[in-house]
Amino acid sequence: MKYSKATNYALHTMLFLAVATPNKLVSVHQLAEWQKVSPTYLSKILTKLVKEGMIDSSSGANGGYSLKSNWEDISFLDIIHAIEGKSSLFDCCLNEEPECLIKQTMLSAEEKMEDELKSQKLVELAKKIKVDI
Amino acid sequence: MKYSKATNYALHTMLFLAVATPNKLVSVHQLAEWQKVSPTYLSKILTKLVKEGMIDSSSGANGGYSLKSNWEDISFLDIIHAIEGKSSLFDCCLNEEPECLIKQTMLSAEEKMEDELKSQKLVELAKKIKVDI
DNA sequence: CAATTACAGACTTTATATATCTATAATAAC
DNA sequence: GTTATTATAGATATATAAAGTCTGTAATTG
Ligand code: SF4
Ligand code: SF4
């Protein structure tokens, strides 16, 4: 069980947009070159973020991607959910038996991780990095 | 990102051993039939648990698997680690940059989940289930 | 010895992640 | 309006890992 590389690319891209160029448009070409990944593949990933309403895109010359105006609300969990989906990490055969203790335990542990990821806002990381620089 | 079915089988098996027959030997045949999974596949999984010192096995007629004497210390995390391995869920290209904020955030969230899984002991679940019955 | 059970390794199958290729649509610059 | 630039979509391909099978071996019991 691992986070996918796609999630990794999404997190890095979002932090890049937040730190380096909070307003300007950045092309997938730049982002892909920086992360050493193919532009078409990264494009697929970024399109998911667009559909989740986290970033804007514009076609044409000097087009690219930019954070949406409400970007300061975005958490790590939002980004991860956009790429990995929102279903539980624990799949059991039948999702009947709501009071099953195994399921409860696994879900509650997962919730602890999600709570932490939800509390980590992109904007806070971006601020810290800017101070470092 | 999902927990593997193997982890699911391991958790179910351990709880079965803890609840139903804390002392007696149970064959993989029984365990596999109960979980509707092939015996040879389940056998592979249980061998991992043997190697991690969580259960004992004995060959020969009337052989099978049983919990080890120290089984009351076993947590969910122990079982999961035995099957999924102990490496982090978050893999980034170079594991340099120890102060990287993305990595720190992901690892600390994962730690929250692991802390919860570590606090959930098999024996406590077994007790609750026995009371229910 | 014969039956039963765990263990080991090679192998196959299936599923998913990762990546590529090609074509289309939108926009800006000229 | 034409051309260059950029995002989007869908089909396809490759790589990797999970899931499961098959076969043979070792250990134990009776
Ligand atoms: S017993 Fe619980 S964990 Fe297992 S399959 Fe049923 S609901 Fe899921
Ligand atoms: S920047 Fe941080 S998260 Fe990204 S690859 Fe480097 S260490 Fe890993």
Side-chain angles (χ1 to χ4, degrees), chain A residues 8 12, chain B residues 90 92-94 96-97 100 102-103:
Chain A
N8 195 313
H12 282 77
Chain B
F90 184 70
C92 57
C93 48
L94 316 166
E96 302 159 15
E97 307 190 44
C100 163
I102 296 181
K103 197 163 63 177

Side-chain angles (χ1 to χ4, degrees), chain A residues 15-23 71 123-133, chain B residues 101:
Chain A
L15 195 60
F16 183 101
L17 292 176
V19 171
T21 58
N23 309 317
W71 74 275
V123 63
E124 296 303 329
L125 260 76
K127 278 182 192 165
K128 283 186 195 169
I129 289 178
K130 276 185 177 162
V131 168
D132 285 1
I133 296 170
Chain B
L101 291 175

Side-chain angles (χ1 to χ4, degrees), chain B residues 6-40:
Chain B
T7 291
N8 196 313
Y9 296 142
L11 289 171
H12 283 77
T13 298
M14 290 298 285
L15 196 59
F16 182 100
L17 292 176
V19 171
T21 59
N23 310 317
K24 235 177 58 181
L25 286 170
V26 183
S27 73
V28 72
H29 179 77
Q30 291 175 256
L31 293 165
E33 189 162 282
W34 172 57
Q35 294 179 70
K36 310 240 191 304
V37 62
S38 104
T40 48

Side-chain angles (χ1 to χ4, degrees), chain B residues 34-131:
Chain B
W34 172 57
Q35 294 179 70
K36 310 240 191 304
V37 62
S38 104
T40 48
Y41 184 45
L42 186 59
S43 165
K44 269 194 186 348
I45 295 164
L46 298 191
T47 299
K48 284 190 181 179
L49 298 177
V50 171
K51 294 205 168 148
E52 292 294 324
M54 294 183 181
I55 56 179
D56 270 327
S57 68
S58 55
S59 294
N62 303 319
Y65 297 93
S66 64
L67 294 172
K68 292 199 80 157
S69 54
N70 65 342
W71 74 275
E72 303 209 351
D73 296 332
I74 296 176
S75 69
F76 267 59
L77 186 62
D78 294 326
I79 303 170
I80 292 169
H81 273 172
I83 307 300
E84 306 263 351
K86 290 178 181 169
S87 71
S88 164
L89 301 183
F90 184 70
D91 262 348
C92 57
C93 48
L94 316 166
N95 274 13
E96 302 159 15
E97 307 190 44
E99 79 285 5
C100 163
L101 291 175
I102 296 181
K103 197 163 63 177
Q104 277 178 25
T105 302
M106 297 298 284
L107 294 190
S108 105
E110 189 183 340
E111 225 170 86
K112 293 279 192 303
M113 181 166 70
E114 294 205 331
D115 285 347
E116 178 71 13
L117 290 171
K118 201 182 303 174
S119 76
Q120 297 286 348
K121 302 290 185 189
L122 191 62
V123 62
E124 297 303 328
L125 259 75
K127 278 182 191 165
K128 283 186 194 168
I129 289 177
K130 276 184 177 161
V131 168

Side-chain angles (χ1 to χ4, degrees), chain A residues 90 92-97 100-103, chain B residues 8 12:
Chain A
F90 183 70
C92 58
C93 50
L94 317 165
N95 276 14
E96 300 158 17
E97 306 189 44
C100 163
L101 291 175
I102 297 181
K103 196 163 65 177
Chain B
N8 196 313
H12 283 77

Side-chain angles (χ1 to χ4, degrees), chain A residues 25-89:
Chain A
L25 288 169
V26 183
S27 74
V28 72
H29 179 76
Q30 290 176 258
L31 293 165
E33 188 163 283
W34 172 57
Q35 294 180 68
K36 310 241 191 302
V37 60
S38 102
T40 49
Y41 184 46
L42 187 58
S43 164
K44 270 194 182 352
I45 295 165
L46 298 191
T47 299
K48 284 189 181 178
L49 298 177
V50 171
K51 293 204 168 150
E52 292 295 323
M54 296 183 179
I55 55 178
D56 270 327
S57 69
S58 55
S59 294
N62 302 320
Y65 296 93
S66 64
L67 294 171
K68 292 200 78 157
S69 54
N70 64 342
W71 74 275
E72 304 210 348
D73 296 332
I74 296 176
S75 70
F76 267 60
L77 186 63
D78 294 327
I79 302 170
I80 292 169
H81 272 172
I83 307 299
E84 306 263 352
K86 289 178 183 169
S87 71
S88 165
L89 302 183

